[in-house]
Amino acid sequence: MSPALGIRRFILPLVAAISLGAAHAAPAKDLDDAATAALNKLYAEAPATKALGEKAKAVLVFPEIYKAALLVGGQGGKGAMFKDGKIVGHYNIGGVAVGLEGGAQTYSYAVFLMSDDAVERLKSSKGFEVGVEPNIVVLNAGAGANVSTATTPRDIYAYVFDTQGLMGGVSLQGLKITKLSK
């Protein structure tokens, strides 16, 4: 068996498993509870994010995103949107990575939508892609501890936090966020 065929036999089931896992809908209450706990944890570990959250028009929280790769990989998860302290919708996040990358990890992701325009772009379009939107600042929660809207004014701030597992390498990847249908 050629190495390329062996890699395909590993990668295709891996990407399918991640896609199916992301597509399997957790009960809304479980997702809401997990998103609330993840947001509270972020606020406790990076206090600057709490101030950012108070200024945000909405906060989108993905409590657990699964990612796995071996040259080709995938990632996905479900999240909830908070507006005025209440959950107002559920969203899906997913993506594919291609490159010299390998490993598996889970992480949490919070997206602070700072303007009504940013909220409307997410609601009215077929989602948006992180890495394509020109006004998204993506930070590790620890690295972003001192970031504020005064130092880096943008429409959208995204924080990666609570990373577990091991992932290494270099890849081209993108994440797309879309609203879940009811």
Side-chain angles (χ1 to χ4, degrees), residues 18 21-22 64-68 74-78 93 95 104-107:
I18 289 170
E64 199 163 41
I65 297 174
Y66 299 92
K67 180 178 181 181
Q75 54 193 325
K78 303 267 183 241
I93 190 166
Q105 70 179 178
T106 62
Y107 61 94

Side-chain angles (χ1 to χ4, degrees), residues 53-147:
E54 290 170 355
K55 293 179 182 178
K57 299 295 181 178
V59 181
L60 192 52
V61 179
F62 296 92
E64 199 163 41
I65 297 174
Y66 299 92
K67 180 178 181 181
L70 182 61
L71 300 180
V72 176
Q75 54 193 325
K78 303 267 183 241
M81 179 185 280
F82 293 83
K83 191 167 184 175
D84 298 322
K86 294 182 170 84
I87 294 176
V88 296
H90 295 101
Y91 288 78
N92 181 59
I93 190 166
V96 175
V98 179
L100 298 173
E101 187 171 54
Q105 70 179 178
T106 62
Y107 61 94
S108 299
Y109 195 65
V111 181
F112 295 84
L113 304 164
M114 304 307 293
S115 68
D116 290 325
D117 181 52
V119 174
E120 286 308 310
R121 280 196 324 260
L122 180 60
K123 284 182 173 179
S124 65
S125 70
K126 293 181 180 178
F128 62 72
E129 295 184 34
V130 176
V132 176
E133 287 283 318
N135 290 322
I136 296 178
V137 177
V138 180
L139 297 167
N140 175 294
N146 296 318
V147 172

Side-chain angles (χ1 to χ4, degrees), residues 26-51:
K29 177 156 180 20
D30 292 347
L31 178 57
D32 293 351
D33 291 346
T36 300
L39 185 59
N40 289 337
K41 182 175 184 174
L42 175 62
Y43 286 166
E45 292 177 358
T49 61
K50 185 167 176 62

